[in-house]
Structures are given as C-alpha cells and as structure tokens.
Amino acid sequence: MSLEPWLVGIPGAILAGSAIAVAVKRRVVPWGARKMLLRDALNKIACGRPLDYLDDALGAPLRTGALRDSAPGRLYRVYRNVHVLVTVTAAGENRTIDAFSISVRDPNFHFKTGRLTAGLLDVDLAHAAFTSVSDSPEGTRLIIGANRIGYTEAFYFGNPGYYQTFLLSHNDVAGGDFHYVEGRHEFATGTLTLPALDGELSYTPNGTWYGEFRAGTRINTLTVLDQSAPLDALVTGHSWGIDRGEVDHIPE
C-alpha cells in the first residue's frame, strides 16, 4: 500500500519543526538569562563600591575621565549595552563610587528601581510615568533646548533612604515617551534650582498642562547620590545621567 505524496512529507515537516523549536529555545534562553544577569548586576551597584566594580559585570567602559558640564575634578566611567547606559563617578583620587545613574534605552527591557531605592521609589524605567510616583518631589527641573530635552524630579527620605538623594529623570539619551507641551517654559524648583548652571529659571509649573505632561512622560533614568556627593555630580546639561552628546558619536 502506498501513501499519498502529501502524507510522505508530514514526518519530515514535524522533524524540521522540532529542530526549529529547539534552535529557537537555545537562543531565547540565553537572551533571557543575559537580561536576568544584567538586572542582578544593576541591582548590586551601590555608593561605596570601587569605581571599577562594574568592569566585570558590564565589560570595558565606553568612556572614562571627565564629562562635559559635570562637577570638576571627578572621575567617571560610562558603560553601554543594547539595554542600558550606566554612569558611575567618584571624587578625585578617591576611587569609591559616590553617585551613579542607570538609563534604560531598550523599550523591551524592564528594570525596576525598588532595590536601589530601599523600596521607596519602585518604578519600571522607560515604562512608568511620573504620575506613578505618589511622593512629592523636593525639586523639579525641565530643560528644553533646540533639539534636546530633560526633566527630573528629586527625592530625599533621610534615614529610610540611607541619606541618599534619588533623582528620577527623562533623559533623551534613553527610551520612553516625552510629552512635549508647546509654548511651555523651562523651570527649576526646590532643590533642583542650579543658578550656576541654569541662571535664573523663575517660571513655576502649574495648571492642567503640567499634570498631562507628567502623565505622558516616562521615567527612564535613576540617579543615586550619596550624601557626600554634590547635586551636580551627574548632571550633564539637560538632565541627570549621561548626556547624549557624550556617547552618540561612538559606534555601537
């Protein structure tokens, strides 16, 4: 008895499908594992660790030395991969991290900030809006340039936050929506008033537009400052974290 020609091909198709499934599984598992390892490495960044701590976890730094607009006399290291940009800094010859920032650039990568903020600010970077934060910020800052944007909110919780300052930002080096409102001005309030860098920004945000702006703008960067670090340790013009102009020209 002979089989119909179309039946003959079924076993081969099944075997081919199984082979493809195995191949896909072998690729997907390492991708997922790499993301888990990256999250674990990011959650272990802390003020007080050696400046070169991340070399093993993230590889050779993309940049070292000084950064434009940042506090003088500081050492910096910048790390980049397809998911995140990480910047760490130390004061002078003291090679101990006293401030760091993490910017999520991949919309398919999820990293929550809870462990790095003692559970006080648990947001999913590049996915959560500013309105998802229930605490009131100590200061705010919006900078809009010719083709640059940056918005930051600062938080300080004293002892529960280990006396560290936490800054949540939208930095245009990373991912997530920025809800631009035509005709609105730059401003800086509270602890984020930096006259030496910004001059006098006297505009105070108010009205429904500000609520809509915060609801439509995604937090994509977390910056943590130790109590010994100056507020401008990781501010680079428009936002906290690495400035786009410092890395965009370097090939991936």
Side-chain angles (χ1 to χ4, degrees), residues 112-180:
K112 301 192 74 173
T113 61
R115 286 178 60 182
L116 295 178
T117 61
L120 298 165
L121 296 167
D122 193 17
V123 300
D124 190 356
L125 293 183
H127 300 275
F130 281 92
T131 48
S132 67
V133 180
S134 59
D135 294 278
S136 298
E138 302 276 332
T140 61
R141 181 175 180 263
L142 172 67
I143 301 295
I144 302 174
N147 62 351
R148 307 299 307 283
I149 51 173
Y151 177 69
T152 298
E153 297 185 354
F155 300 86
Y156 180 76
F157 300 97
N159 180 270
Y162 309 114
Y163 300 103
Q164 298 176 124
T165 297
F166 304 112
L167 300 114
L168 301 177
S169 303
H170 181 95
N171 184 326
D172 61 9
V173 77
D177 294 335
F178 181 87
H179 184 69
Y180 179 72

Side-chain angles (χ1 to χ4, degrees), residues 7 16 21-22 38 70-71 78-79 84 109 132 137 144 150 169 183 186 196-197 203 206 214-215 220 239 250:
L7 289 173
V22 170
L38 176 58
S70 292
V78 181
Y79 302 84
V84 298
F109 181 70
S132 67
I144 302 174
S169 303
E186 299 177 328
L197 186 62
Y203 178 76
N206 54 59
R214 294 182 73 248
N220 60 24
S239 186
I250 303 176

Side-chain angles (χ1 to χ4, degrees), residues 62-63 78 80 105 244-252:
L62 181 71
R63 291 199 59 155
V78 181
R80 179 178 70 184
R105 57 199 301 248
R244 198 176 74 196
E246 299 282 350
V247 295
D248 274 3
H249 65 286
I250 303 176
E252 295 278 354

Side-chain angles (χ1 to χ4, degrees), residues 43-65:
N43 275 315
K44 290 178 180 176
I45 305 174
C47 296
R49 283 188 178 274
L51 186 63
D52 58 359
Y53 158 72
L54 282 177
D55 287 5
D56 290 337
L58 298 180
L62 181 71
R63 291 199 59 155
T64 60

Side-chain angles (χ1 to χ4, degrees), residues 24 26 81 127 226 242:
V24 168
R26 286 175 178 170
N81 61 36
H127 300 275
D226 189 54
I242 189 63

Side-chain angles (χ1 to χ4, degrees), residues 32-43:
R34 282 197 294 270
K35 287 184 178 181
M36 290 179 61
L37 290 172
L38 176 58
R39 290 189 193 96
D40 185 60
L42 295 175
N43 275 315

